Amino acid sequence: VDSPYKHYINGGDLIIDIGYYEERKPWCIVGGKWATECIELFEKENIKVDFYKRGFVDMKLSIIIPFYKTTKLTHKLLDKLCPQLTKEVEIILIDDGCYEDFSKYPITVIQKDNEGVSAARNDGLDKAQGKYIAFVDSDDMVVDNYIETILNKTKEEWDYCLMSWKAEGRLKGDYIITNEPPTWNTSIWNCIYKRDIIGEHRFVSNLQISEDEDFNNRVRHGKKANITDIMYIYNSGREDSLTDKFSKGEIGKERPLQSQIIVFQSTFGDIGGIEKHLYEFFKAFHNKYEIMFVYKEAHRKQLERYRHLVKCVKYVGQKFQCDKYICNSTYHNIADDVVSKENYYAQVIHSDYSAMNWKYTKHPKTNIHIAVSEVAKKSILKQQPDIECNVIYNLVEKVETKRVLNLISPTRFSWEKGYERTIQMANRLNELGIPFIWQLFTNEPLKNNIDGLIKRDVTFHIEHYIADADYLIQLSNCESWGYATAEAFEYGIPVVATDYPAIHEQGIKDGINGYVLNMDLSNLDDVINKMYMNNLKFNYKKKDSIKEWEKELGKGKKANYQYTKEKETIIALQDYHDTTQNRLIKKGEEYKVTPERADIIIKAGYAR
């Protein structure tokens, strides 16, 4: 197998070796068995590859730097950090509304509107790929061997590791940490965190001060370690820092998160009326109003859909300020943490409380009720007839829909029948955004769970499903004939098949009654595009012939066979009541049942 790879190396752009490391988490690195040949080719072709910018998936350490109006100090910090970088380390700088140019550095820059240091760090955590996380403030400094020392320390087992530091300015001095830092230092920059202990924890976004202490109280658990060497240089007492402003009484500990409209939903899943209502509401109004969506628990895919439309904030006890507040949740209301400048506290009623036998408890602040139907309104008024409730029906926007491909493959899915090609084709259809229903009539379990692929039990009446399909798919390595494809042609259904000889013998004409896929699927996108355009002018010449068999078999003789339902004799091994005969069967009794019934009784241990 060695020599053929050289052809692919010469024809490729980059070679990737993919495998697994501890706990079977996937990784990929540039390199592997043929990396030397790859690098030699780069040199020969004078190709310069910047591995930092291309990224490195198996990241050991992520360094997160929230940046805000500290340009000179931040450039000095990056000048110190970047020469220390290895392929195992990434730097993520979050530009919190300044939109500075850091393009000369091999780092990841996230530019966003100003929301404060906590929100910036959260964006960094969402982006980080490292197994370990370190935070550096943009106005501070690190030592020359900061990264090297941390990477060496990661060879030991710990959940979080505290570092010694030096302070300049008001708190000038060396702080050697052999156990815990001084009680006044609750910062996150004096610690490296294992990603696993952070998990889904994030900073409370409306805290302007003490956000580090709150975060540490939630995540600093497990096995602790220490680095006694000085690693960090803290610039204490810098004019205009948040800490400085807080000490002067210029800012409070918390600032409310603000938006014109705040919509709250406690929890939501992947499918349902609530989920659809939220999406349609955000889609209709995200360009007309400033909307913030607040939630407690979320289904990730749904949340990502909402994030394309409105700002989404996880509720962890923050304070909010808005013009109008809408509680969409039926059993949790955060109105106590919301100040509506227009005194508008709405509750949306989505359920028939009477039918569900639920009790509605009105929040003291709620002064607006909106029901999604007359049924929902009546169910609330039945419990609380003194409240006013308007009906505003849920929004539904008619959008341009796509054609759904109806595909079928009745086949065994062993290796020679093209299972892997089926998976590749299904994945590619999803990547291209083409909706499809691909029914696989097979007696084997599917090894992959892919949206659009549906396993069906084997049926003896497959012709009905073939005749209803847009295409029959057969991606085998080889076939001697292929009944499913022959049936498809018979019913006028086009076939998509790999380029095995028998499919041509059966009469496939590429672009007429189907499409031919290369065995390596190199023309997959072209075939998928043609399938979706559906410009075939179906034509097929029937291949099979009853007369040819009659000629082969010679003169016939009419049979006298008549079908009778088969019965099997079984012998009872114990007394039991037979439900189909509605009588008691005695031990040792012999009696006849259908083969299917015999299998059930024998399997249950009642007879042999």
Side-chain angles (χ1 to χ4, degrees), residues 230-257:
I230 288 177
M231 298 282 288
Y232 196 93
I233 302 165
Y234 171 47
N235 186 7
S236 68
R238 180 179 64 82
E239 193 75 18
D240 289 334
S241 70
L242 288 178
T243 305
D244 180 63
K245 288 181 178 180
F246 179 73
S247 65
K248 293 177 182 178
E250 295 176 8
I251 61 172
K253 186 174 181 180
E254 293 186 10
R255 63 176 180 181
L257 297 177

Side-chain angles (χ1 to χ4, degrees), residues 412-430:
R412 298 189 315 276
F413 272 110
S414 49
W415 67 270
E416 80 278 8
K417 295 293 185 180
Y419 182 82
E420 293 302 326
R421 294 189 190 95
T422 300
I423 298 306
Q424 290 181 57
M425 187 171 183
N427 280 326
R428 189 59 181 150
L429 284 162
N430 282 320

Side-chain angles (χ1 to χ4, degrees), residues 411-509:
T411 182
R412 298 189 315 276
F413 272 110
S414 49
W415 67 270
E416 80 278 8
K417 295 293 185 180
Y419 182 82
E420 293 302 326
R421 294 189 190 95
T422 300
I423 298 306
Q424 290 181 57
M425 187 171 183
N427 280 326
R428 189 59 181 150
L429 284 162
N430 282 320
E431 289 168 4
L432 294 172
I434 295 176
F436 67 95
I437 298 172
W438 191 343
Q439 299 183 81
L440 308 179
F441 287 85
T442 181
N443 56 2
E444 299 171 3
L446 299 186
K447 295 176 287 186
N448 304 73
N449 182 20
I450 298 174
D451 186 28
L453 279 187
I454 301 172
K455 182 190 180 306
R456 297 290 306 272
D457 289 338
V458 174
T459 174
F460 293 143
H461 301 288
I462 193 66
E463 59 273 5
H464 305 300
Y465 299 94
I466 291 176
D468 189 53
D470 293 326
Y471 297 93
L472 184 135
I473 315 292
Q474 190 70 49
L475 305 181
S476 303
N477 292 349
C478 62
E479 295 283 348
S480 63
W481 183 244
Y483 250 109
T485 49
E487 286 182 286
F489 287 137
E490 187 72 21
Y491 289 106
I493 302 303
V495 169
V496 176
T498 38
D499 196 14
Y500 55 86
I503 195 65
H504 295 281
E505 188 178 350
Q506 278 189 323
I508 195 168
K509 301 296 181 185

Side-chain angles (χ1 to χ4, degrees), residues 97-115:
C98 299
Y99 299 95
E100 294 273 359
D101 182 11
F102 293 100
S103 58
K104 71 175 183 177
Y105 298 105
I107 65 175
T108 299
V109 178
I110 301 172
Q111 291 184 320
K112 61 191 290 294
D113 293 339
N114 177 248
E115 294 181 284

Side-chain angles (χ1 to χ4, degrees), residues 287-335:
N287 285 326
K288 298 179 181 180
Y289 301 94
E290 179 190 50
I291 300 174
M292 179 185 294
F293 175 53
V294 183
Y295 63 93
K296 286 191 71 177
E297 301 294 335
H299 185 275
R300 286 190 175 276
K301 287 188 176 180
Q302 280 285 8
L303 184 61
E304 187 60 29
R305 203 160 71 129
Y306 301 158
R307 277 181 172 153
H308 280 84
L309 301 170
V310 297
K311 181 177 180 179
C312 300
V313 176
K314 185 171 184 176
Y315 176 70
V316 288
Q318 307 98 310
K319 304 296 182 183
F320 300 91
Q321 189 177 81
C322 60
D323 294 343
K324 288 181 168 65
Y325 167 67
I326 300 172
C327 180
N328 197 64
S329 180
T330 56
Y331 60 91
H332 187 198
N333 194 332
I334 61 167

